[in-house]
């Protein structure tokens, strides 16, 4: 099944961080990827996201404004399983 693509908008990209707003239409996905940096996600929407991982599917319940951290190397496809838009801000931490 072909899903619509999540839309990334880079807000800051400098020697220390890349800050990207991700907007997921209903059913939208990032596509399979591996994170090359440690990162923090700050949800702008409350609701579930479906994570397709090497170990199977995981549903993660996110809450507006409640940030979380993940280490370099995470591999997944992030999918919005709901029928409304989902938005989060991702802050990738570069090594100075």
């Amino acid at each position: 099944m072909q899903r619509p693509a999540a839309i990334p908008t880079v807000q800051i990209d400098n020697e220390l961080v890349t800050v990207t707003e991700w907007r997921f239409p209903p059913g939208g996905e990032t596509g399979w990827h591996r994170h090359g940096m440690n990162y923090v996600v700050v949800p702008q929407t409350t609701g579930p996201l479906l994570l397709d991982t090497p170990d199977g599917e995981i549903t993660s319940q996110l809450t507006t404004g409640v940030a979380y951290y993940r280490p370099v190397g995470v591999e997944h496809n992030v999918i919005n399983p709901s029928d409304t838009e989902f938005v989060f801000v991702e802050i990738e931490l570069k090594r100075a």
Side-chain angles (χ1 to χ4, degrees):
M1 175 175 97
Q2 183 72 15
R3 294 185 178 101
I7 301 164
T9 302
V10 175
Q11 298 177 342
I12 300 170
D13 189 11
N14 62 31
E15 66 280 357
L16 299 176
V17 297
T18 299
V19 177
T20 305
E21 176 192 72
W22 284 91
R23 291 190 167 271
F24 292 75
E29 68 177 352
T30 58
W32 191 262
H33 61 281
R34 181 181 189 276
H35 285 267
M37 293 175 258
N38 296 324
Y39 66 101
V40 173
V41 169
V42 183
Q44 306 298 295
T45 308
T46 294
L49 284 179
L50 179 62
L51 307 174
D52 186 10
T53 75
D55 297 324
E57 291 185 347
I58 300 167
T59 298
S60 183
Q61 183 66 35
L62 282 72
T63 302
T64 300
V66 179
Y68 64 89
Y69 165 86
R70 294 289 182 265
V72 65
V74 171
E75 292 182 276
H76 56 202
N77 179 20
V78 181
I79 303 160
N80 175 9
S82 69
D83 58 4
T84 58
E85 181 181 60
F86 196 95
V87 180
F88 65 73
V89 174
E90 176 186 73
I91 303 145
E92 296 175 292
L93 307 170
K94 298 178 182 179
R95 296 177 192 254

